[in-house]
Amino acid sequence: MQLEFKKVYPVFSWSWDIPGDDDADREIGDEDLCGICRVSYNGTCPGCKYPGDNCPLVIGECNHNFHVHCIQQWLATPTAKGLCPMCRQQFSLKRGVAINEGQVEKLANLLLQPRPAALAADDQDMMMDQEFAVR
Amino acid sequence: MASLPKRIIKETERLVSDPVPGITAQPHEDNLRYFQVTIEGPQQSPYESGVFQLELFLPDDYPMEAPKVRFLTKIYHPNIDRLGRICLDVLKTNWSPALQIRTVLLSVQALLASPNPNDPLANDVAEDWIRNEDAAIAKAREWTQLYAK
């Protein structure tokens, strides 16, 4: 039998490279959701439409992960007192982790800035567990 | 009206599909951020066998801001005043967006099980409580019989 390829549709999937994510002790369920908006890490915060670089994930020194927009919005509230929502330790970005690069300055400047207006609550966060088809 | 954030939809669904024992929370038809809540008085507390009505409202900034919770049923408790307002740290200074409707309501239920007259909201009740705890507990039980049905 001879096969002839007419067309090829490569399909790629992606996910954030979270250190320690392969650990066997990882619990199923809540573990893959942003602790603030409860949307998958690979999805977006409620204010964003496209996941990925436009709505990055960050990892705290305490090993709790959030969409950068979610944790920024939280840290900008007076109630936050700079604390991680999950463990109430002072929140800071974990050093030497690839996905935190580029976010460090944003978060460092945060407490100096006035609180941003609430994000528009669009129903645009329907894109969970994306798979991008490339044609 | 702005659409409801996905987190609120998920929480509401889970409150229905996997309810917390002794607690119900139902969103209002016209306003899905407004919940009618019932909490059963914890066993071995003065509120035992009572069913308390509460209202819970999710402000626009939720989950960055705590839900607003208030007792509608009259209750004799040192941390709940006569308007039904609740003195509970997680509803104010210790709020965290990792908390949810269900965890907040569990905290309220736990507050019924362990009144704290040293951090009062209803000063007169707290004074009674400290002065004569047995009498205060009897009165709380009496009010439960009278109002929390």
Side-chain angles (χ1 to χ4, degrees):
Chain A
M1 188 173 69
Q2 202 172 5
L3 289 176
E4 185 190 344
F5 288 99
K6 299 272 195 187
K7 278 180 182 169
V8 176
Y9 299 104
V11 175
F12 300 86
S13 71
W14 66 277
S15 66
W16 291 106
D17 179 16
I18 303 165
D21 204 31
D22 302 325
D23 288 359
D25 61 354
R26 202 176 101 206
E27 286 172 42
I28 298 166
D30 279 2
E31 208 66 2
D32 287 335
L33 304 178
C34 170
I36 296 178
C37 69
R38 304 251 145 211
V39 169
S40 143
Y41 292 152
N42 298 327
T44 71
C45 80
C48 283
K49 198 168 181 177
Y50 300 108
D53 288 340
N54 292 317
C55 189
L57 192 73
V58 288
I59 301 179
E61 201 60 66
C62 54
N63 289 321
H64 290 121
N65 315 330
F66 306 98
H67 298 120
V68 72
H69 298 146
C70 293
I71 189 70
Q72 274 179 314
Q73 209 192 340
W74 165 242
L75 292 175
T77 68
T79 325
K81 300 181 284 279
L83 306 181
C84 170
M86 309 299 283
C87 62
R88 300 190 199 272
Q89 301 183 62
Q90 282 295 323
F91 189 84
S92 61
L93 290 184
K94 196 167 193 161
R95 288 162 198 278
V97 179
I99 70 173
N100 280 349
E101 279 168 23
Q103 310 304 326
V104 176
E105 217 168 287
K106 255 196 226 171
L107 272 180
N109 290 337
L110 185 77
L111 295 171
L112 304 172
Q113 289 175 5
R115 189 178 161 190
L119 292 172
D122 286 341
D123 53 350
Q124 292 172 335
D125 54 347
M126 301 300 288
M127 305 173 70
M128 297 170 65
D129 310 315
Q130 267 73 23
E131 288 197 338
F132 289 136
V134 182
R135 295 200 170 184
Chain B
M1 199 183 105
S3 69
L4 210 61
K6 178 178 266 180
R7 166 170 164 158
I8 296 181
I9 298 170
K10 280 191 187 176
E11 280 197 54
T12 307
E13 284 171 354
R14 188 151 168 244
L15 281 168
V16 175
S17 69
D18 178 22
V20 191
I23 296 176
T24 66
Q26 275 203 322
H28 197 272
E29 278 180 16
D30 300 328
N31 184 352
L32 297 175
R33 288 175 176 269
Y34 181 85
F35 291 74
Q36 287 175 313
V37 175
T38 66
I39 296 182
E40 287 173 19
Q43 286 177 9
Q44 277 144 27
S45 80
Y47 311 100
E48 185 172 358
S49 81
V51 179
F52 297 85
Q53 308 281 335
L54 295 89
E55 59 180 7
L56 181 148
F57 181 72
L58 303 174
D60 282 346
D61 274 353
Y62 181 82
M64 299 304 164
E65 198 186 313
K68 311 234 179 287
V69 192
R70 194 171 78 90
F71 274 82
L72 299 173
T73 304
K74 208 169 144 150
I75 182 168
Y76 193 76
H77 188 292
N79 310 106
I80 302 164
D81 74 5
R82 78 182 65 173
L83 295 175
R85 294 177 301 188
I86 306 164
C87 180
L88 185 61
D89 62 344
V90 292
L91 292 174
K92 298 273 166 6
T93 51
N94 278 345
W95 167 251
S96 151
L99 298 171
Q100 311 177 33
I101 299 170
R102 63 196 298 123
T103 53
V104 161
L105 294 178
L106 273 168
S107 298
V108 173
Q109 197 183 38
L111 187 67
L112 295 185
S114 48
N116 178 10
N118 296 316
D119 181 21
L121 189 64
N123 268 312
D124 46 341
V125 179
E127 278 169 26
D128 287 356
W129 216 278
I130 291 168
R131 214 183 301 122
N132 188 345
E133 192 176 336
D134 289 346
I137 288 174
K139 190 164 179 183
R141 207 167 261 135
E142 189 184 313
W143 281 33
T144 303
Q145 298 300 321
L146 275 174
Y147 305 113
K149 283 291 157 197

